[in-house]
Structures are given as C-alpha cells and as structure tokens.
Amino acid sequence: MDITKQYQEQQEANRLRNRISSFMGTFKVGTRLNTSGIRKLRGVSPLTLFSVIFMLPFEGVNFSRGIVTNPSLGFKKDAAYDFLKNPKHNWRKFMLALAATVARSFDRLTDDKREKVLIFDDSTYDRSRSKMVELLAWIHDHNSGRSLKGFKLLTLGWSDGNSFLPLDFVLCSSVHAAKRVQGIKKNLDKRTCGYRRRKEAITKSTDHLVPMIKCVLRLGIRADYVLMDSWSCFPSILAAVGEHLPVICMAKDMPKIFYRYQGKVVRLSKLYSLLKKRPGKAKILASVITETNKGQIRMEFR
C-alpha cells in the first residue's frame, strides 16, 4: 500500500513538473527573465532558479523546506537568496510582461461582450514579529482597528469575471519617517530599480494609482472599468483615474466630502435622505447624477 501511494505521488509530481515546464515554454519565461535584466552571472541559470521557486506553493512546500534544507537541488540556498534580492532584477517588468501575455491569451478565448475590469485593492501585510526588515513601519489596520508593524500591499489585478490575474503591486511603508522602524539601506545603488521601488514604498499609496493604470494600458491589456474600494472614493482620485478608464467604487459618508444636488451642497448621508427610494426589494434603491468639486459622477444606492 505504501509503495502504491509513493508511486502515485511520484507520478503526480512528474505531471506537475511537466505542466509547469510547458507553461514556462509556452509563455517564454526564460526570455522574459532575460529582457527584465534577470540574467545569469555564474552558476545555475535564472530559469532553473525561478522554476524551482515557482513550484514550491504547488507542491505545498515552504521556502525553508524546499530550498534551504533541500539537499537534492543543484544549487545552494545562497543562490536562491541572491536571485530574489538582487536590486538590479526588474521583477516588476517581468511580472507585467508575463501577465500581459496571459491576459491576451484569455482575451482570445472569451467573448468580446464580456466585461473586463482592473481591480485595485490594498491589504495589510503583518510583520509584527520582525525588527530589522527594511522600511518596516507602524501602520493602521482597519480590520482590527489597531496599529501594527508591517506594510500596506497595494495590488492591481485584471479580471474577466471568471479569471483573475495579478498585474502589479507596491509594498507601501509609511510616508512619515517617524513611523518607520527601519530606513533604506545606505549602500544601495540609487540607479537600480530596487532603489526606485524603495522610494515608491515611502510615497503616498494613492499617488501610485494612475501610473500603474497607465503602465498596464500601455502593454495592451484591455479593460472596461476600474473597480476600487471606498478607501479611494475621493473626488480628486476619481477624476484622475477617470481620465483613463471609468471608475466604479463604493462610497462612504465622510465629513469633508460634499456633493451638489438640486442647488444644495450636502454630505453623502444627507444626499441619501433627499432621494426618493424605489418600493419593495428593488436591487437599486435610488440612482442619481451628482457633482463634486472635480466633476459629475453617477451614484447608485443598493
């Protein structure tokens, strides 16, 4: 019984390797690594390193077991660490190029009438047990309502309603130096993309929205809307992002955000009370075109 189970596990592992190898070849991952500045200097090739690291979550193995303490690999753990932390490796360019190719493949397989969207989301990356992580900062976690050590992870993804692809991300520290537990390494070459990513981390998160959208659209990724949560529902952000794609987002009642309706300037809660609601269990209770200090928007209350 044990021999049979071991044989089945080996066959499953071989099938997994073959599928991943097929993916690497179909989407020319080796070429994309090379054009992103991720090239071989000595030892094992970048494609081999990337393939081994890429397989870890599919095998259900963490980095420590799969790389650090694994004697069967053809390279040492230092090779993997150097591969991942090299500031000259443009992982952002690689990720965008690969995601754009996959998105275009999905496009050819789906109906043109299906709506495609870009999705912005920010989440808390908790590193409460860390002390020496570069640019580690105190951030506010809205879910727990408390401050913790970590980062804000701003992610841009693409979806056609059935599939989801991560396109770009920024790991945000705090804009305020006083809230940062650690700073930027002084010996880092300022000409590298690694240094530019660190400068991005200490920039206000909403300043990244438009550049990220422009970069994605420049690669030919098609989308009909941008979806965002209520954290970005500010008139200035809606106007800036709306110059590139229509925006759909949740709105929340904020004391300093006002809407113009029937000659009155009111908050969101007051605007809701002024509208006539549809009777019964209507999906949309009310719909109105209102105006902010940055232009007109359409609001629906559900």
Side-chain angles (χ1 to χ4, degrees):
M1 188 66 179
D2 291 339
I3 296 176
T4 303
K5 184 178 180 180
Q6 185 179 4
Y7 175 77
Q8 291 175 343
E9 290 177 350
Q10 290 176 348
Q11 290 296 103
E12 183 63 31
N14 289 335
R15 283 194 291 268
L16 175 63
R17 293 190 184 94
N18 290 336
R19 292 177 66 182
I20 290 179
S21 178
S22 175
F23 171 83
M24 299 289 179
T26 301
F27 293 99
K28 300 179 180 178
V29 173
T31 301
R32 302 198 185 283
L33 286 169
N34 185 63
T35 56
S36 302
I38 307 171
R39 303 185 180 97
K40 177 180 178 179
L41 294 178
R42 58 185 179 276
V44 69
S45 70
L47 181 59
T48 300
L49 286 165
F50 180 83
S51 300
V52 172
I53 297 171
F54 184 82
M55 285 181 61
L56 294 180
F58 296 98
E59 294 177 331
V61 179
N62 59 27
F63 192 87
S64 178
R65 286 181 55 200
I67 304 293
V68 178
T69 60
N70 190 351
S72 62
L73 297 176
F75 55 88
K76 300 294 184 180
K77 64 178 182 180
D78 290 344
Y81 281 123
D82 292 341
F83 175 69
L84 293 175
K85 71 181 183 181
N86 192 323
K88 296 181 181 180
H89 290 175
N90 197 337
W91 289 107
R92 181 180 221 166
K93 181 179 179 180
F94 168 76
M95 181 177 174
L96 275 170
L98 181 59
T101 305
V102 176
R104 287 193 291 268
S105 299
F106 286 175
D107 248 353
R108 292 193 294 268
L109 300 173
T110 55
D111 193 334
D112 290 336
K113 295 180 180 179
R114 177 178 289 182
E115 294 181 338
K116 304 169 183 66
V117 297
L118 297 178
I119 303 172
F120 273 111
D121 183 57
D122 77 325
S123 55
T124 303
Y125 182 30
D126 188 357
R127 293 298 298 267
S128 297
R129 299 178 62 184
S130 302
K131 295 181 180 179
M132 304 303 294
V133 175
E134 191 173 5
L135 288 178
L136 184 69
W138 286 100
I139 59 171
H140 182 72
D141 182 16
H142 294 282
N143 293 327
S144 62
R146 63 185 182 90
S147 293
L148 50 83
K149 286 190 295 183
F151 302 90
K152 283 287 186 181
L153 179 60
L154 176 63
T155 307
L156 174 61
W158 175 92
S159 177
D160 60 359
N162 186 45
S163 305
F164 177 83
L165 285 174
L167 301 176
D168 199 2
F169 73 94
V170 178
L171 199 58
C172 298
S173 180
S174 177
V175 179
H176 307 288
K179 293 185 178 181
R180 294 182 216 136
V181 180
Q182 295 292 334
I184 298 175
K185 291 181 180 178
K186 294 182 180 180
N187 60 350
L188 190 64
D189 190 343
K190 296 182 179 180
R191 296 170 297 178
T192 61
C193 54
Y195 180 79
R196 292 195 295 270
R197 290 291 264 176
R198 286 160 172 82
K199 295 296 289 185
E200 285 181 342
I202 56 176
T203 305
K204 194 175 180 181
S205 60
T206 51
D207 292 344
H208 299 302
L209 302 182
V210 172
M212 290 171 77
I213 289 176
K214 290 170 67 175
C215 186
V216 165
L217 295 179
R218 200 160 49 237
L219 287 173
I221 296 176
R222 298 193 302 115
D224 301 296
Y225 306 101
V226 176
L227 301 184
M228 298 188 295
D229 209 345
S230 57
W231 63 271
S232 57
C233 188
F234 293 91
S236 58
I237 297 176
L238 296 179
V241 176
E243 292 182 2
H244 305 279
L245 285 173
V247 182
I248 299 176
C249 70
M250 295 178 63
K252 62 179 179 181
D253 187 27
M254 292 179 281
K256 295 183 180 180
I257 304 298
F258 297 92
Y259 304 89
R260 186 174 288 106
Y261 178 68
Q262 292 183 347
K264 299 178 181 179
V265 179
V266 297
R267 285 175 51 174
L268 183 63
S269 55
K270 181 64 176 177
L271 174 63
Y272 180 73
S273 66
L274 293 174
L275 298 177
K276 183 179 179 181
K277 316 302 186 297
R278 293 187 177 93
K281 297 181 179 180
K283 186 176 181 180
I284 300 175
L285 297 176
S287 176
V288 64
I289 296 178
T290 183
E291 188 175 350
T292 67
N293 59 349
K294 295 294 183 179
Q296 286 189 346
I297 60 172
R298 182 181 181 86
M299 304 192 74
E300 292 183 350
F301 297 89
R302 298 172 180 264

